[in-house]
Amino acid sequence: MAEDRALVDRFLDMLAAEAGASRNTLLAYRNDLTAAAATLPSLGQADAKQIGQLGPAWSELSPSTVARRSAALRRFYGFLHEEGLRRDDPSSSLPRPATERPLPRILAPHEVDAMFAAVEDLASSGRPLALRNHALLELLYGSGLRATELVSLPRGALRTGQPFLILRGKGAKERLVPISDRAFAAVEKWLPHVPAKSAYLFPGGKAHLSRVRLFQLVREMAALAGIAPDRVSPHVLRHAFATHLLAGGADLRVLQALLGHADIATTQIYTHVDTGRLVELVNARHPLATRSASS
């Protein structure tokens, strides 16, 4: 239907403009939405009951395909609801197949060290953009911030003598985020270069630095350290923050709070990344570790 095509086009325009989605990503969304539309009387007007029939209709598809199509529809209907194009969001009726979560991509500690060495070397010149990039890297890896959380930080988010900040993250949930002395120092060097009229710590364009630009900057920092840029992103640094903390002995519940995960099952993915460290921890800390096998 022409109306459905218009809604899909509007949705894809939003993904391209606000999320910086690539051409391939947009094509994948269009294909998944078109496939769903072929099963529904109307993609834009489908009710919860009609959406619920997609499960049986997709029964012969692989779990990963069903999960991908459901994710595309979930985001599509969320967009329609937020834009006031429909009163409800029927996506709760979408099938939720059980799929294995892929292990997060991370960097080794020595690779993160190499990135910091390269960025700090440039920042020592005192050039404003080099100081900005250093502050971005310190907050990304040192505090595990999401990309959106980082770029939208208010100018006065960090306060002297307060080693943390309170963020409103995913799902409008607040969490406490620790700020290291290193991050404070990097931000203090960058602050004098932030325009007085800017409401954001990292201004860009008419508002704040975009997520797409942050992604590009992080890849540039990786290249400076001799790391393949396609291995690194803001989210990879967030994964590295979590994995390296866990390897250092951090409690999983504490890590959950720091990352802002609503469900600890999301945090548990990091336990699969460093299994050697976890075995070592059990052997060293468990009460039975000091008892001999013959006891």
Side-chain angles (χ1 to χ4, degrees):
M1 291 174 58
E3 183 180 347
D4 284 341
R5 285 196 296 271
L7 290 175
V8 171
D9 287 342
R10 188 166 172 177
F11 169 64
L12 296 179
D13 285 343
M14 179 279 295
L15 286 181
E18 297 182 17
S22 68
R23 181 178 178 277
N24 287 340
T25 297
L26 296 175
L27 183 60
Y29 268 102
R30 184 180 293 280
N31 289 341
D32 284 334
L33 293 175
T34 300
T39 309
L40 297 168
S42 168
L43 182 65
Q45 300 301 320
D47 58 28
K49 183 178 180 180
Q50 291 168 332
I51 294 293
Q53 294 303 311
L54 290 174
W58 293 345
S59 60
E60 295 185 5
L61 299 176
S62 70
S64 60
T65 299
V66 174
R68 193 192 66 241
R69 287 189 181 178
S70 293
L73 284 169
R74 197 168 289 115
R75 193 162 185 181
F76 174 68
Y77 287 122
F79 165 75
L80 296 185
H81 183 55
E82 289 173 6
E83 292 293 306
L85 297 172
R86 62 176 295 160
R87 295 182 179 180
D88 65 328
D89 181 350
S91 58
S92 60
S93 299
L94 286 164
R96 293 178 178 271
T99 57
E100 285 191 15
R101 293 176 61 93
L103 294 180
R105 290 186 299 159
I106 62 166
L107 295 174
H110 75 271
E111 292 176 309
V112 176
D113 288 343
M115 283 186 67
F116 272 101
V119 172
E120 287 169 355
D121 184 53
L122 287 180
S124 65
S125 68
R127 291 196 296 271
L129 293 184
L131 294 174
R132 179 201 62 185
N133 292 349
H134 184 206
L136 287 169
L137 185 60
E138 288 285 0
L139 288 170
L140 267 178
Y141 176 70
S143 300
L145 298 180
R146 296 182 176 94
T148 301
E149 294 169 344
L150 176 58
V151 297
S152 61
L153 282 177
R155 180 192 178 104
L158 276 67
R159 300 179 183 178
T160 303
Q162 182 175 297
F164 60 85
L165 56 85
I166 298 175
L167 280 183
R168 188 179 294 274
K170 263 188 176 180
K173 293 181 179 179
E174 291 188 340
R175 78 178 192 276
L176 208 62
V177 175
I179 305 297
S180 67
D181 292 341
R182 288 173 52 106
F184 264 109
V187 170
E188 284 180 354
K189 291 179 181 178
W190 160 240
L191 263 175
H193 303 283
V194 179
K197 63 181 181 180
S198 174
Y200 298 100
L201 181 58
F202 300 106
K206 296 181 179 179
H208 55 68
L209 193 71
S210 71
R211 293 172 67 251
V212 174
R213 183 58 185 142
L214 176 64
F215 185 93
Q216 293 168 340
L217 289 172
V218 167
R219 287 197 159 188
E220 289 172 11
M221 295 182 212
L224 286 172
I227 301 169
D230 60 0
R231 291 186 54 220
V232 188
S233 70
H235 211 61
V236 167
L237 287 171
R238 176 172 157 86
H239 287 321
F241 161 83
T243 306
H244 298 165
L245 269 181
L246 187 64
D251 179 83
L252 203 59
R253 285 290 182 185
V254 171
L255 193 58
Q256 177 191 7
L258 293 177
L259 293 171
H261 288 162
D263 187 347
I264 197 168
T266 307
T267 317
Q268 285 174 331
I269 190 67
Y270 294 104
T271 64
H272 299 292
V273 177
D274 194 5
T275 53
R277 165 65 183 170
L278 294 177
V279 171
E280 178 186 335
L281 196 62
V282 170
N283 287 336
R285 304 289 181 83
H286 195 282
L288 293 179
T290 58
R291 298 184 59 180
S292 65
S294 58
S295 299

